[in-house]
Structure formats: C-alpha cells, structure tokens
Amino acid sequence: MFWIQSNNYSTVPGNLSHLDYTGCREALRRRLSEPAPGRIQLVTGPRQVGKTTVLLELAAELGERATYIAADGSEAALPGFWERLWNRAEEMAASQGRTNVVLIDEVQHLAGWAARLKAEWDRLRRRHLPVHVVATGSSALRLASGSKESLAGRYERLTLAHWSASALARTFNLAPDDAAELVVRMGAYPGAMELRNDMPRWAAYVREAIAEPAISRDILALAAVRRPALLRQVFAVAAASPAQIVSLQKLQGQLQDRGALETLAHYLHLLEEAYVMAPLEKHASRPARRRAAPPKLVTLSNALLAVVDPRGIPDAAREPERCGAWVENACLAFAWNSGYRVAYWREEPMEVDGVIDGSRGSWAIEVKTGPFGVAEVRGLLEFTRRFPRYQPLLLCDPSELPAAARVGVPAISWKRFLLDGPKAP
C-alpha cells in the first residue's frame, strides 16, 4: 500500500474534476468539512490508482466519525448488512453530536446500489441527519449505468486519474526527468513501482491486477458485451498501435474474429469508459466529418503497452521510431487523463498529433523525438493559421530545443510536458 504525505492541493492541469491522488484527497477533505448531508461524492477512475487508499486514509483521519465498508467484501454479503450500516452511522452522529461519514468502496458490487443509496440520501436530507457519503467505483461506465437516473442531482463526481510523472516524482522521490522517462517506459501505476526493477514480476502484476480485471470485470460483466473474445482482440490490436490513426476497416482486418464496424466502435467506447484506451476523434468544424474520420488510438497508460506488445519496451537507440510512438502516446494520454478534450488533425499530407482544449487554454501539439526540420512542423503551422485560437507547441527532446528556436516554433521538452502539462516556453 502506498501513502502520500504531501498536503499541497494538486490537480492535473486540464479539468478540476480530474484529479491526482493528492488533489482527490484534498477535494474530499474540503467537501466533507461542509455542512452535512451534502451531495454524495462518487469517486471513479482506473484500477490501482489509489481509490481504496484515499478512503482508508480519510477513515484513519476521521477515526470514530467514519464508517468504512468494502462492498466487495464478505461482510457486505451478510443479511441485514445495508440496514446495519446506516443505523450505525445515524447512531454515531446522534451520540457524538457531530458529522459522520460513510465511506463505501467499490459500490457497484452492491445489487441495486444506486436506488438504495438514493433512498438513504433522501432520508438523511429529510431528517437533517449530519452524515456525509463517499463512494468509489473502478469504472465510469459501471457507475454511470446505475447512477444517471437514480442519483440525478444528488451526487458530485470526481475522477482519480492515471498518475502523472510529477505525482510519481513527489511520491517515490524520483528525479523529475527520471519520472517522465518512467511514464513512457512503464506507465505510472503506483502499486507497480516497487517491482519496476524486476520486469517479469512487474509485467505479471500489471497483467493480472490491472489489465485482466479491467477487461473481465469492469467491461465483460456488462450485458452490452456480447462477444468477449472479440473485445479482447480489439484491445490487443489497438494497444499494438499506440498513437496511430487506424480505420475501423483496417482494425477489422487484423482481427481473428471479425465483427461489424458498429460493434468495433462500441467496444472502443467501452475501453474508453473503463479508462483503458481513448479513440480520439479528428478535429473538424463539422460533426459529420469528425464521426466519419478514423480514430487515433491512444492507450491511457504505457504500462498496458508494455505488457500487451510481445516486443516489450522499446530501446531508444535501436528502435527510435517505435520509441517515438510511445512518447507521443504518453503525451496524448497525459492530456486525456488530465481532463483535456483531445483530438487530432490531418489534411494530407499535413497532420497535427494532438489538438487539446482545457482550463489552461487551447493548444495544437506536435511530438518529435530525434532531429527534425521545417518540413516536420508544416502541419502544426498550417493548423494554427487556419484555427488561430490554438497556440502551437512542439514537444521535442531537450537537445532539440535549439532546433525548434531556429525554425521559429514555440517548444518545450516532452519531459516537461509530462511533468507540468502545456505551458508557453
């Protein structure tokens, strides 16, 4: 188990609903200090990023004022469990004369959880009982499937995102540049960090504790998935094409088990809802053109690339092109995980790797590893000429920053981007 001692409020830079571990914990602390009962706090996010840990840390801080339960534990299966949970919370609030907090981990494991939680919250409001509620779930999709109607107007949602390079550096005392390189090579799952020097164990952990449960539990448990074998193939083929624009027809041709194009598009959407992969749309002024364009496939943690690709982690000296694709994938994944709206742009022969919109502004980014010249940035310059509200930003190797200055394009190193997000150089 990992713990973060920093008390600095920290969010990832794109959207205040997408938080790193410290930011999520501090946001919950602030909301739990408000008059109770406030809205239910639903915390969603990928597997193994610290949702359980943040609840346990809050429970330890609150002491007797908190009631923590794991909805996937044996206690939750006992008769009368739900009633005892709320009776205890009410009794504690009444006897102590102060706000109590109910912390429910992996809430989607409770049958009919949304309707039951709605009923309890409505009762707390009617009786003015000082009880706050926080619930977590591993997948946005599974929470949404039960919560959209039953909990309408009754909850606020926080996303505990994939960790950033800066979060790794703070927590594990890494040099910032080393943390950025680690995000590219091995992703940023905190629970896997202690295994990073033992590759077979690290890979087994990522496969068995993260990738497999995300597919077999968070997605395959849903009735919407009719062909689980096809879903697994879609994930494997898409992860083998990091930051690549791949038409559904081409994706279909690489599958052993053919599926309709509508089915493939649906499965890509499910992978996105489970925080596994993002099929980026093309930037276009007309919605029809966005929908008709092929997606750009971005795996949301490079750890998943490392365990899916049989070639393993690329060697920068021997495989510069493949390494460059991993750097681009990490940068676009960071933007998506930070809450930015992320797209790409292509008008043959010109292309822009990422078009991002968020709280820090609108940016067109091009990712280059190794030497480059004026020809490689033509797409970036043409896009920002057509769409002047976007600021151009070249992400390159630190050694290539002078080359960017010579061609007159604003640039920062891709390591700095992974640490701090988009900033004017």
Side-chain angles (χ1 to χ4, degrees), residues 108-183:
Q108 75 275 2
H109 289 284
L110 297 174
W113 68 270
R116 295 163 73 180
L117 200 53
K118 168 187 176 296
E120 296 298 338
W121 187 85
D122 287 346
R123 186 166 62 85
L124 293 175
R125 296 283 286 187
R126 286 195 304 269
R127 298 179 59 186
H128 304 286
L129 296 172
V131 179
H132 279 305
V133 181
V134 182
T136 72
S138 289
S139 170
L141 185 147
R142 297 184 74 182
L143 282 173
S145 65
S147 65
K148 280 185 177 177
E149 295 184 6
S150 296
L151 295 178
R154 296 170 173 84
Y155 74 97
E156 293 178 283
R157 186 167 178 163
L158 298 172
T159 298
L160 179 48
H162 285 283
W163 282 38
S164 65
S166 58
L168 282 187
R170 288 196 309 269
T171 305
F172 297 98
N173 297 316
L174 301 174
D177 282 1
D178 292 343
E181 291 180 2
L182 196 60
V183 166

Side-chain angles (χ1 to χ4, degrees), residues 373-400:
V374 176
E376 283 80 11
V377 297
R378 283 183 59 209
L380 183 64
L381 297 175
E382 176 62 19
F383 177 84
T384 52
R385 184 189 69 82
R386 297 189 192 183
F387 304 96
R389 78 182 183 89
Y390 288 92
Q391 302 178 65
L393 186 62
L394 179 64
L395 311 181
C396 61
D397 294 331
S399 61
E400 295 300 318

Side-chain angles (χ1 to χ4, degrees), residues 248-259:
L248 294 181
Q249 291 83 353
K250 183 177 179 180
L251 180 64
Q252 185 185 53
Q254 298 180 61
L255 301 172
Q256 297 177 359
D257 183 11
R258 296 293 181 90

